[in-house]
mmCIF file of all heavy atoms in Angstrom:
data_model
loop_
_atom_site.group_PDB
_atom_site.id
_atom_site.type_symbol
_atom_site.label_atom_id
_atom_site.label_comp_id
_atom_site.label_asym_id
_atom_site.label_seq_id
_atom_site.Cartn_x
_atom_site.Cartn_y
_atom_site.Cartn_z
ATOM 1 N N LYS A 1 99.229 -132.981 -19.602
ATOM 2 C CA LYS A 1 99.862 -131.680 -19.398
ATOM 3 C C LYS A 1 100.479 -131.657 -17.919
ATOM 4 O O LYS A 1 99.828 -131.910 -16.978
ATOM 5 C CB LYS A 1 98.777 -130.588 -19.482
ATOM 6 C CG LYS A 1 99.352 -129.259 -19.199
ATOM 7 C CD LYS A 1 98.216 -128.137 -19.445
ATOM 8 C CE LYS A 1 98.751 -126.694 -19.181
ATOM 9 N NZ LYS A 1 97.732 -125.682 -19.347
ATOM 10 N N VAL A 2 101.716 -131.370 -17.904
ATOM 11 C CA VAL A 2 102.472 -131.408 -16.638
ATOM 12 C C VAL A 2 102.692 -129.953 -16.157
ATOM 13 O O VAL A 2 103.207 -129.167 -16.887
ATOM 14 C CB VAL A 2 103.787 -132.155 -16.786
ATOM 15 C CG1 VAL A 2 104.577 -131.975 -15.393
ATOM 16 C CG2 VAL A 2 103.603 -133.556 -17.101
ATOM 17 N N THR A 3 102.173 -129.642 -14.992
ATOM 18 C CA THR A 3 102.391 -128.257 -14.538
ATOM 19 C C THR A 3 102.929 -128.271 -13.104
ATOM 20 O O THR A 3 102.660 -129.231 -12.277
ATOM 21 C CB THR A 3 101.068 -127.477 -14.440
ATOM 22 O OG1 THR A 3 100.018 -128.201 -13.751
ATOM 23 C CG2 THR A 3 100.553 -127.239 -15.888
ATOM 24 N N PRO A 4 103.700 -127.319 -12.613
ATOM 25 C CA PRO A 4 104.171 -127.297 -11.234
ATOM 26 C C PRO A 4 103.140 -126.882 -10.293
ATOM 27 O O PRO A 4 102.097 -126.215 -10.676
ATOM 28 C CB PRO A 4 105.320 -126.270 -11.303
ATOM 29 C CG PRO A 4 104.935 -125.375 -12.487
ATOM 30 C CD PRO A 4 104.255 -126.255 -13.475
ATOM 31 N N LEU A 5 103.387 -127.209 -8.979
ATOM 32 C CA LEU A 5 102.436 -126.740 -8.025
ATOM 33 C C LEU A 5 102.733 -125.158 -7.869
ATOM 34 O O LEU A 5 103.803 -124.666 -8.201
ATOM 35 C CB LEU A 5 102.745 -127.353 -6.608
ATOM 36 C CG LEU A 5 102.691 -128.907 -6.539
ATOM 37 C CD1 LEU A 5 102.951 -129.408 -5.197
ATOM 38 C CD2 LEU A 5 101.447 -129.318 -7.135
ATOM 39 N N ASP A 6 101.754 -124.444 -7.347
ATOM 40 C CA ASP A 6 101.963 -123.013 -7.307
ATOM 41 C C ASP A 6 102.797 -122.573 -6.108
ATOM 42 O O ASP A 6 103.671 -121.765 -6.212
ATOM 43 C CB ASP A 6 100.613 -122.346 -7.102
ATOM 44 C CG ASP A 6 99.790 -122.346 -8.354
ATOM 45 O OD1 ASP A 6 100.301 -122.533 -9.466
ATOM 46 O OD2 ASP A 6 98.545 -122.345 -8.221
ATOM 47 N N ARG A 7 102.500 -123.244 -4.953
ATOM 48 C CA ARG A 7 103.333 -122.824 -3.722
ATOM 49 C C ARG A 7 103.438 -124.125 -2.834
ATOM 50 O O ARG A 7 102.575 -124.860 -2.529
ATOM 51 C CB ARG A 7 102.442 -121.788 -2.959
ATOM 52 C CG ARG A 7 103.143 -121.279 -1.668
ATOM 53 C CD ARG A 7 102.142 -120.385 -0.905
ATOM 54 N NE ARG A 7 101.838 -119.160 -1.742
ATOM 55 C CZ ARG A 7 100.609 -118.692 -1.849
ATOM 56 N NH1 ARG A 7 99.573 -119.389 -1.495
ATOM 57 N NH2 ARG A 7 100.436 -117.584 -2.520
ATOM 58 N N VAL A 8 104.765 -124.252 -2.376
ATOM 59 C CA VAL A 8 105.015 -125.326 -1.396
ATOM 60 C C VAL A 8 105.723 -124.867 -0.158
ATOM 61 O O VAL A 8 106.333 -123.775 -0.135
ATOM 62 C CB VAL A 8 105.884 -126.496 -2.065
ATOM 63 C CG1 VAL A 8 105.226 -127.023 -3.370
ATOM 64 C CG2 VAL A 8 107.281 -125.939 -2.421
ATOM 65 N N GLY A 9 105.506 -125.709 0.881
ATOM 66 C CA GLY A 9 106.218 -125.394 2.156
ATOM 67 C C GLY A 9 107.218 -126.437 2.379
ATOM 68 O O GLY A 9 106.962 -127.590 2.238
ATOM 69 N N ILE A 10 108.407 -126.047 2.775
ATOM 70 C CA ILE A 10 109.396 -127.026 3.215
ATOM 71 C C ILE A 10 109.764 -126.871 4.663
ATOM 72 O O ILE A 10 109.997 -125.789 5.180
ATOM 73 C CB ILE A 10 110.717 -126.900 2.295
ATOM 74 C CG1 ILE A 10 111.463 -125.606 2.559
ATOM 75 C CG2 ILE A 10 110.409 -127.143 0.887
ATOM 76 C CD1 ILE A 10 112.840 -125.642 1.933
ATOM 77 N N TYR A 11 109.740 -127.968 5.375
ATOM 78 C CA TYR A 11 110.044 -127.920 6.769
ATOM 79 C C TYR A 11 111.485 -128.431 6.984
ATOM 80 O O TYR A 11 111.909 -129.465 6.546
ATOM 81 C CB TYR A 11 109.111 -128.883 7.606
ATOM 82 C CG TYR A 11 109.296 -128.816 9.070
ATOM 83 C CD1 TYR A 11 108.385 -128.013 9.810
ATOM 84 C CD2 TYR A 11 110.434 -129.336 9.814
ATOM 85 C CE1 TYR A 11 108.542 -127.792 11.186
ATOM 86 C CE2 TYR A 11 110.510 -129.131 11.130
ATOM 87 C CZ TYR A 11 109.544 -128.405 11.903
ATOM 88 O OH TYR A 11 109.732 -128.210 13.201
ATOM 89 N N VAL A 12 112.258 -127.467 7.636
ATOM 90 C CA VAL A 12 113.720 -127.841 7.900
ATOM 91 C C VAL A 12 113.890 -128.055 9.455
ATOM 92 O O VAL A 12 113.605 -127.036 10.148
ATOM 93 C CB VAL A 12 114.570 -126.656 7.403
ATOM 94 C CG1 VAL A 12 116.075 -126.995 7.654
ATOM 95 C CG2 VAL A 12 114.415 -126.506 5.851
ATOM 96 N N PRO A 13 114.410 -129.101 9.857
ATOM 97 C CA PRO A 13 114.607 -129.266 11.265
ATOM 98 C C PRO A 13 115.587 -128.313 11.857
ATOM 99 O O PRO A 13 116.518 -127.920 11.215
ATOM 100 C CB PRO A 13 115.102 -130.758 11.396
ATOM 101 C CG PRO A 13 114.670 -131.436 10.086
ATOM 102 C CD PRO A 13 114.706 -130.334 9.133
ATOM 103 N N GLY A 14 115.337 -127.878 13.112
ATOM 104 C CA GLY A 14 116.246 -127.012 13.828
ATOM 105 C C GLY A 14 116.354 -127.491 15.298
ATOM 106 O O GLY A 14 115.738 -128.594 15.652
ATOM 107 N N GLY A 15 117.068 -126.835 16.093
ATOM 108 C CA GLY A 15 117.117 -127.156 17.462
ATOM 109 C C GLY A 15 118.451 -127.863 17.860
ATOM 110 O O GLY A 15 119.596 -127.116 17.854
ATOM 111 N N LYS A 16 118.408 -129.239 17.947
ATOM 112 C CA LYS A 16 119.657 -129.898 18.421
ATOM 113 C C LYS A 16 120.748 -129.823 17.323
ATOM 114 O O LYS A 16 121.949 -129.880 17.604
ATOM 115 C CB LYS A 16 119.337 -131.376 18.765
ATOM 116 C CG LYS A 16 118.506 -131.518 20.049
ATOM 117 C CD LYS A 16 118.275 -133.019 20.246
ATOM 118 C CE LYS A 16 117.411 -133.170 21.504
ATOM 119 N NZ LYS A 16 117.110 -134.663 21.781
ATOM 120 N N ALA A 17 120.262 -129.822 16.114
ATOM 121 C CA ALA A 17 121.241 -129.846 14.954
ATOM 122 C C ALA A 17 120.670 -128.971 13.824
ATOM 123 O O ALA A 17 119.509 -128.722 13.838
ATOM 124 C CB ALA A 17 121.505 -131.232 14.441
ATOM 125 N N ALA A 18 121.535 -128.536 12.984
ATOM 126 C CA ALA A 18 121.060 -127.782 11.831
ATOM 127 C C ALA A 18 121.326 -128.503 10.559
ATOM 128 O O ALA A 18 122.303 -129.208 10.490
ATOM 129 C CB ALA A 18 121.789 -126.455 11.732
ATOM 130 N N TYR A 19 120.402 -128.482 9.592
ATOM 131 C CA TYR A 19 120.461 -129.261 8.403
ATOM 132 C C TYR A 19 120.354 -128.544 7.080
ATOM 133 O O TYR A 19 119.384 -128.453 6.426
ATOM 134 C CB TYR A 19 119.357 -130.332 8.436
ATOM 135 C CG TYR A 19 119.527 -131.327 9.650
ATOM 136 C CD1 TYR A 19 118.798 -131.066 10.763
ATOM 137 C CD2 TYR A 19 120.381 -132.435 9.517
ATOM 138 C CE1 TYR A 19 118.974 -132.038 11.727
ATOM 139 C CE2 TYR A 19 120.551 -133.251 10.519
ATOM 140 C CZ TYR A 19 119.797 -133.071 11.738
ATOM 141 O OH TYR A 19 119.943 -133.952 12.800
ATOM 142 N N PRO A 20 121.487 -127.812 6.702
ATOM 143 C CA PRO A 20 121.436 -127.106 5.320
ATOM 144 C C PRO A 20 121.234 -128.103 4.177
ATOM 145 O O PRO A 20 120.579 -127.708 3.252
ATOM 146 C CB PRO A 20 122.819 -126.538 5.274
ATOM 147 C CG PRO A 20 123.688 -127.286 6.282
ATOM 148 C CD PRO A 20 122.756 -127.666 7.425
ATOM 149 N N SER A 21 121.641 -129.400 4.352
ATOM 150 C CA SER A 21 121.345 -130.341 3.331
ATOM 151 C C SER A 21 119.897 -130.558 3.007
ATOM 152 O O SER A 21 119.434 -130.782 1.967
ATOM 153 C CB SER A 21 122.042 -131.709 3.583
ATOM 154 O OG SER A 21 121.588 -132.242 4.806
ATOM 155 N N SER A 22 119.060 -130.480 4.142
ATOM 156 C CA SER A 22 117.597 -130.580 4.011
ATOM 157 C C SER A 22 117.007 -129.498 3.157
ATOM 158 O O SER A 22 116.086 -129.669 2.378
ATOM 159 C CB SER A 22 116.923 -130.716 5.447
ATOM 160 O OG SER A 22 117.191 -131.904 6.005
ATOM 161 N N VAL A 23 117.603 -128.297 3.329
ATOM 162 C CA VAL A 23 117.139 -127.211 2.521
ATOM 163 C C VAL A 23 117.418 -127.503 1.103
ATOM 164 O O VAL A 23 116.446 -127.299 0.200
ATOM 165 C CB VAL A 23 117.854 -125.824 2.919
ATOM 166 C CG1 VAL A 23 117.326 -124.636 2.157
ATOM 167 C CG2 VAL A 23 117.737 -125.702 4.449
ATOM 168 N N LEU A 24 118.611 -127.878 0.669
ATOM 169 C CA LEU A 24 118.839 -128.114 -0.646
ATOM 170 C C LEU A 24 118.042 -129.177 -1.262
ATOM 171 O O LEU A 24 117.523 -129.099 -2.363
ATOM 172 C CB LEU A 24 120.398 -128.569 -0.834
ATOM 173 C CG LEU A 24 121.456 -127.637 -0.335
ATOM 174 C CD1 LEU A 24 122.805 -128.231 -0.610
ATOM 175 C CD2 LEU A 24 121.320 -126.209 -0.963
ATOM 176 N N MET A 25 117.847 -130.253 -0.557
ATOM 177 C CA MET A 25 117.117 -131.523 -1.024
ATOM 178 C C MET A 25 115.604 -131.210 -1.234
ATOM 179 O O MET A 25 114.967 -131.876 -2.061
ATOM 180 C CB MET A 25 117.348 -132.706 -0.135
ATOM 181 C CG MET A 25 118.772 -133.157 0.009
ATOM 182 S SD MET A 25 119.369 -133.731 -1.683
ATOM 183 C CE MET A 25 121.045 -134.223 -1.282
ATOM 184 N N ASN A 26 115.036 -130.314 -0.457
ATOM 185 C CA ASN A 26 113.655 -130.026 -0.606
ATOM 186 C C ASN A 26 113.425 -128.863 -1.537
ATOM 187 O O ASN A 26 112.459 -128.931 -2.270
ATOM 188 C CB ASN A 26 113.002 -129.715 0.834
ATOM 189 C CG ASN A 26 112.834 -130.968 1.590
ATOM 190 O OD1 ASN A 26 111.788 -131.544 1.530
ATOM 191 N ND2 ASN A 26 113.853 -131.398 2.412
ATOM 192 N N ALA A 27 114.251 -127.821 -1.449
ATOM 193 C CA ALA A 27 113.950 -126.562 -2.156
ATOM 194 C C ALA A 27 114.404 -126.704 -3.643
ATOM 195 O O ALA A 27 113.678 -126.305 -4.588
ATOM 196 C CB ALA A 27 114.578 -125.420 -1.533
ATOM 197 N N ILE A 28 115.463 -127.390 -3.923
ATOM 198 C CA ILE A 28 116.023 -127.453 -5.293
ATOM 199 C C ILE A 28 115.101 -128.104 -6.244
ATOM 200 O O ILE A 28 114.813 -127.674 -7.383
ATOM 201 C CB ILE A 28 117.450 -127.868 -5.343
ATOM 202 C CG1 ILE A 28 118.368 -126.829 -4.761
ATOM 203 C CG2 ILE A 28 117.834 -128.251 -6.750
ATOM 204 C CD1 ILE A 28 119.853 -127.237 -4.707
ATOM 205 N N PRO A 29 114.556 -129.382 -5.870
ATOM 206 C CA PRO A 29 113.697 -130.092 -6.874
ATOM 207 C C PRO A 29 112.365 -129.236 -7.062
ATOM 208 O O PRO A 29 111.820 -129.311 -8.186
ATOM 209 C CB PRO A 29 113.465 -131.383 -6.232
ATOM 210 C CG PRO A 29 113.850 -131.336 -4.780
ATOM 211 C CD PRO A 29 114.987 -130.290 -4.837
ATOM 212 N N ALA A 30 111.902 -128.505 -6.023
ATOM 213 C CA ALA A 30 110.784 -127.725 -6.243
ATOM 214 C C ALA A 30 111.076 -126.510 -7.128
ATOM 215 O O ALA A 30 110.231 -126.248 -8.045
ATOM 216 C CB ALA A 30 110.366 -127.192 -4.802
ATOM 217 N N HIS A 31 112.161 -125.956 -6.997
ATOM 218 C CA HIS A 31 112.631 -124.952 -7.908
ATOM 219 C C HIS A 31 112.769 -125.429 -9.377
ATOM 220 O O HIS A 31 112.274 -124.743 -10.276
ATOM 221 C CB HIS A 31 113.944 -124.390 -7.345
ATOM 222 C CG HIS A 31 114.221 -122.935 -7.841
ATOM 223 N ND1 HIS A 31 115.164 -122.675 -8.835
ATOM 224 C CD2 HIS A 31 113.818 -121.692 -7.397
ATOM 225 C CE1 HIS A 31 115.196 -121.421 -9.119
ATOM 226 N NE2 HIS A 31 114.389 -120.822 -8.212
ATOM 227 N N VAL A 32 113.422 -126.635 -9.476
ATOM 228 C CA VAL A 32 113.650 -127.109 -10.838
ATOM 229 C C VAL A 32 112.225 -127.445 -11.478
ATOM 230 O O VAL A 32 112.054 -127.248 -12.709
ATOM 231 C CB VAL A 32 114.449 -128.386 -10.812
ATOM 232 C CG1 VAL A 32 114.509 -129.139 -12.144
ATOM 233 C CG2 VAL A 32 115.898 -128.006 -10.410
ATOM 234 N N ALA A 33 111.263 -127.889 -10.722
ATOM 235 C CA ALA A 33 109.977 -128.264 -11.137
ATOM 236 C C ALA A 33 109.212 -127.072 -11.675
ATOM 237 O O ALA A 33 108.245 -127.167 -12.470
ATOM 238 C CB ALA A 33 109.176 -128.947 -10.018
ATOM 239 N N GLY A 34 109.633 -125.848 -11.184
ATOM 240 C CA GLY A 34 108.978 -124.608 -11.649
ATOM 241 C C GLY A 34 107.979 -123.977 -10.572
ATOM 242 O O GLY A 34 107.216 -123.118 -10.916
ATOM 243 N N VAL A 35 108.059 -124.526 -9.364
ATOM 244 C CA VAL A 35 107.259 -123.834 -8.339
ATOM 245 C C VAL A 35 107.763 -122.422 -8.116
ATOM 246 O O VAL A 35 108.841 -122.163 -7.943
ATOM 247 C CB VAL A 35 107.457 -124.641 -6.966
ATOM 248 C CG1 VAL A 35 106.687 -123.957 -5.798
ATOM 249 C CG2 VAL A 35 107.005 -126.140 -7.112
ATOM 250 N N GLN A 36 106.642 -121.600 -8.090
ATOM 251 C CA GLN A 36 106.955 -120.158 -7.969
ATOM 252 C C GLN A 36 107.201 -119.576 -6.583
ATOM 253 O O GLN A 36 108.007 -118.688 -6.422
ATOM 254 C CB GLN A 36 105.754 -119.386 -8.653
ATOM 255 C CG GLN A 36 105.609 -119.554 -10.114
ATOM 256 C CD GLN A 36 106.932 -119.219 -10.889
ATOM 257 O OE1 GLN A 36 107.317 -118.037 -10.835
ATOM 258 N NE2 GLN A 36 107.432 -120.108 -11.617
ATOM 259 N N GLU A 37 106.641 -120.228 -5.638
ATOM 260 C CA GLU A 37 106.810 -119.770 -4.249
ATOM 261 C C GLU A 37 107.194 -120.969 -3.330
ATOM 262 O O GLU A 37 106.470 -121.969 -3.305
ATOM 263 C CB GLU A 37 105.585 -119.150 -3.628
ATOM 264 C CG GLU A 37 105.173 -117.825 -4.242
ATOM 265 C CD GLU A 37 104.066 -117.160 -3.534
ATOM 266 O OE1 GLU A 37 104.176 -116.729 -2.360
ATOM 267 O OE2 GLU A 37 102.888 -117.205 -4.102
ATOM 268 N N ILE A 38 108.371 -120.913 -2.746
ATOM 269 C CA ILE A 38 108.812 -121.914 -1.843
ATOM 270 C C ILE A 38 108.986 -121.318 -0.537
ATOM 271 O O ILE A 38 109.848 -120.417 -0.282
ATOM 272 C CB ILE A 38 110.274 -122.470 -2.275
ATOM 273 C CG1 ILE A 38 110.154 -123.012 -3.736
ATOM 274 C CG2 ILE A 38 110.722 -123.584 -1.318
ATOM 275 C CD1 ILE A 38 111.447 -123.446 -4.360
ATOM 276 N N ILE A 39 108.133 -121.713 0.452
ATOM 277 C CA ILE A 39 108.093 -121.136 1.738
ATOM 278 C C ILE A 39 108.762 -122.118 2.798
ATOM 279 O O ILE A 39 108.367 -123.224 2.962
ATOM 280 C CB ILE A 39 106.577 -120.929 2.290
ATOM 281 C CG1 ILE A 39 105.750 -120.270 1.230
ATOM 282 C CG2 ILE A 39 106.552 -120.122 3.575
ATOM 283 C CD1 ILE A 39 106.251 -118.930 0.724
ATOM 284 N N MET A 40 109.904 -121.556 3.381
ATOM 285 C CA MET A 40 110.671 -122.431 4.314
ATOM 286 C C MET A 40 110.217 -122.042 5.786
ATOM 287 O O MET A 40 110.038 -120.858 6.164
ATOM 288 C CB MET A 40 112.082 -122.206 4.109
ATOM 289 C CG MET A 40 112.994 -122.927 5.154
ATOM 290 S SD MET A 40 114.757 -122.706 4.873
ATOM 291 C CE MET A 40 114.972 -120.970 5.756
ATOM 292 N N VAL A 41 110.139 -123.067 6.620
ATOM 293 C CA VAL A 41 109.832 -122.876 8.075
ATOM 294 C C VAL A 41 111.034 -123.659 8.725
ATOM 295 O O VAL A 41 111.334 -124.768 8.409
ATOM 296 C CB VAL A 41 108.581 -123.337 8.522
ATOM 297 C CG1 VAL A 41 107.419 -122.467 8.070
ATOM 298 C CG2 VAL A 41 108.246 -124.837 8.216
ATOM 299 N N VAL A 42 111.713 -123.036 9.732
ATOM 300 C CA VAL A 42 112.741 -123.614 10.379
ATOM 301 C C VAL A 42 112.777 -123.056 11.874
ATOM 302 O O VAL A 42 112.777 -121.916 12.059
ATOM 303 C CB VAL A 42 114.156 -123.343 9.670
ATOM 304 C CG1 VAL A 42 114.368 -121.894 9.603
ATOM 305 C CG2 VAL A 42 115.256 -123.929 10.578
ATOM 306 N N PRO A 43 112.718 -124.033 12.846
ATOM 307 C CA PRO A 43 112.677 -123.472 14.215
ATOM 308 C C PRO A 43 114.010 -122.997 14.580
ATOM 309 O O PRO A 43 115.132 -123.550 14.179
ATOM 310 C CB PRO A 43 112.266 -124.727 15.094
ATOM 311 C CG PRO A 43 112.638 -125.889 14.175
ATOM 312 C CD PRO A 43 112.400 -125.430 12.776
#
């Protein structure tokens, strides 16, 4: 039986540079997997 995780955290680097691509690459597979809560932290 395959089930998604309930809640994940994604860390997105900030500061010297901004990385929208990191948001896509971490959040989208979690969303596709069926994770209900995706918590992003970004300095």
Side-chain angles (χ1 to χ4, degrees):
K1 181 178 181 179
V2 177
T3 54
L5 305 184
D6 290 337
R7 182 187 293 130
V8 301
I10 65 169
Y11 190 99
V12 179
K16 292 182 181 179
Y19 296 99
S21 58
S22 284
V23 183
L24 301 183
M25 296 295 179
N26 283 270
I28 288 177
H31 201 262
V32 170
V35 176
Q36 293 302 302
E37 290 187 73
I38 303 170
I39 313 298
M40 178 181 78
V41 293
V42 55

